[in-house]
């Protein structure tokens, strides 16, 4: 059941980033007790204006996966601090600093100037 629920949560995207909440590392806790599922999420920023929407989408996805007779609660921990290190490695690279166009131009100029 745990894998089914994680798969359902992986269908829920952070609308601003277009990346699912599991790959982003936003699922802090997943507890299954009897026929009750409790999910605790964090947002990429504590003041995320879409937290309620993401939480509601997560609840609906888990309810759909769990089926009738299950109770699903989703809570958002606004005190948790997210960082790219919590994301899957494939996703993490999207958050790495990329050189600006100016830095790239300077590097290209220096390579031409110094034959590198």
């Amino acid at each position: 059941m745990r894998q089914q629920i994680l798969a359902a949560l992986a269908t829920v995207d952070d609308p601003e980033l277009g990346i699912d909440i599991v790959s982003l590392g936003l699922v802090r806790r997943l507890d299954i007790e009897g026929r009750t599922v409790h999910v605790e999420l964090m947002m990429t920023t504590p003041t995320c204006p879409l937290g309620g929407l993401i939480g509601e989408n997560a609840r609906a996805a888990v309810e759909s996966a769990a089926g009738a007779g299950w109770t699903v609660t989703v809570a958002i921990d606004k005190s948790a601090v997210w960082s790219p290190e919590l994301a899957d490695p494939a996703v993490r690279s999207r958050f790495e600093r990329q050189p600006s166009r100016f830095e790239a131009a300077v590097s290209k100029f220096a390579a031409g100037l110094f034959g590198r």
Side-chain angles (χ1 to χ4, degrees):
M1 178 58 99
R2 184 175 182 81
Q3 291 303 343
Q4 285 177 292
I5 292 170
L6 284 172
L9 290 170
T11 68
V12 178
D13 283 350
D14 179 310
E16 291 182 313
L17 300 174
I19 302 170
D20 75 87
I21 62 175
V22 174
S23 295
L24 280 169
L26 299 181
V27 179
R28 289 185 41 85
R29 198 174 89 223
L30 171 58
D31 295 326
I32 303 169
E33 296 178 17
R35 295 187 63 81
T36 300
V37 178
H38 180 74
V39 179
E40 184 177 290
L41 303 175
M42 66 189 305
M43 298 295 103
T44 55
T45 62
T47 59
C48 177
L50 298 173
L53 174 66
I54 294 169
E56 181 58 29
N57 289 345
R59 186 192 57 74
V62 172
E63 282 180 346
S64 179
W70 284 79
T71 302
V72 177
T73 62
V74 176
I76 297 175
D77 182 353
K78 293 186 178 186
S79 67
V81 178
W82 180 84
S83 71
E85 290 78 33
L86 296 173
D88 288 346
V91 171
R92 197 175 307 141
S93 64
R94 291 185 60 181
F95 295 94
E96 292 175 355
R97 185 182 178 285
Q98 301 296 319
S100 69
R101 287 184 288 178
F102 175 76
E103 291 169 320
V106 168
S107 291
K108 185 176 180 180
F109 174 75
L113 186 63
F114 299 111
R116 294 183 193 169

